[in-house]
């Protein structure tokens, strides 16, 4: 099994993310469907946020940020997230644990997009070794 969903996992969050989630959870109690088990509920008392809603939000945010929305999907954030961690020196083992994965296949998939750029940046950061 590639995904470690049985054991559960701890997801590290930044303090600002924790504050935003706490604020959302307080507001969520006023939602007409607050008793439903889903974390993310729709606007205007609509039911839970599904994948199509997440897709629309991602496209809207991408356009506002100046990206071509045709090139962006919710799954792109997984690639960006993994690349950001690898760029900052987080080990593949730790990235797999945070994502709840047992197989390094995820690292190869997510990390391949920017692997060449990370390698070039690493070499530049070493400086001129022959001067």
């Amino acid at each position: 099994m590639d995904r470690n969903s049985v054991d559960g996992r701890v997801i590290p969050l930044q303090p600002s993310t924790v504050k935003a989630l706490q604020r959302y959870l307080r507001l969520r109690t006023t939602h007409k469907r607050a008793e439903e088990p889903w974390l993310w509920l729709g606007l205007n008392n609509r039911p839970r946020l599904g994948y199509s809603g997440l897709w629309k939000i991602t496209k809207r945010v991408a356009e506002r940020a100046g990206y071509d929305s045709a090139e962006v999907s919710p799954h792109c954030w997984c690639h960006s997230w993994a690349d950001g961690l690898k760029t900052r020196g987080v080990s593949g083992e730790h990235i797999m644990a945070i994502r709840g994965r047992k197989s390094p296949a995820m690292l190869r998939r997510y990390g391949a997009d920017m692997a060449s750029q990370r390698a070039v940046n690493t070499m530049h950061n070493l400086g001129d070794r022959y001067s």
Side-chain angles (χ1 to χ4, degrees), residues 51 55 58 73-80 99 101 109-110:
Y51 192 76
W55 187 273
T58 301
S73 72
H75 192 72
C76 289
W77 305 125
C78 296
H79 291 259
S80 299
R99 286 286 296 162
R101 298 289 185 159
R109 249 188 340 270
Y110 289 2

Side-chain angles (χ1 to χ4, degrees):
M1 196 163 139
D2 187 36
R3 186 162 217 148
N4 186 4
S5 58
V6 177
D7 301 335
R9 66 181 189 249
V10 174
I11 300 173
L13 301 173
Q14 296 297 319
S16 59
T17 304
V18 172
K19 287 180 185 177
L21 278 171
Q22 289 171 332
R23 193 170 41 247
Y24 168 74
L25 290 172
R26 277 194 307 276
L27 288 171
R28 187 188 182 286
T29 62
T30 64
H31 196 284
K32 178 179 164 184
R33 299 173 190 259
E35 298 304 316
E36 291 187 12
W38 313 107
L39 176 60
W40 303 110
L41 299 175
L43 296 174
N44 301 321
N45 291 315
R46 290 193 177 107
R48 72 182 175 98
L49 177 65
Y51 192 76
S52 65
L54 179 61
W55 187 273
K56 289 175 188 174
I57 291 169
T58 301
K59 298 290 186 178
R60 194 175 317 129
V61 168
E63 287 174 2
R64 288 181 185 163
Y67 292 97
D68 179 0
S69 65
E71 306 259 333
V72 178
S73 72
H75 192 72
C76 289
W77 305 125
C78 296
H79 291 259
S80 299
W81 173 83
D83 175 61
L85 290 178
K86 287 184 79 66
T87 298
R88 288 167 183 81
V90 177
S91 73
E93 178 184 12
H94 290 150
I95 294 171
M96 286 170 46
I98 292 167
R99 286 286 296 162
R101 298 289 185 159
K102 292 181 178 179
S103 165
M106 178 271 300
L107 288 176
R108 287 191 298 273
R109 249 188 340 270
Y110 289 2
D113 293 341
M114 297 298 291
S116 294
Q117 187 61 49
R118 281 194 308 273
V120 168
N121 291 344
T122 299
M123 294 306 292
H124 284 186
N125 289 338
L126 291 175
D128 189 354
R129 301 183 65 168
Y130 301 103
S131 58

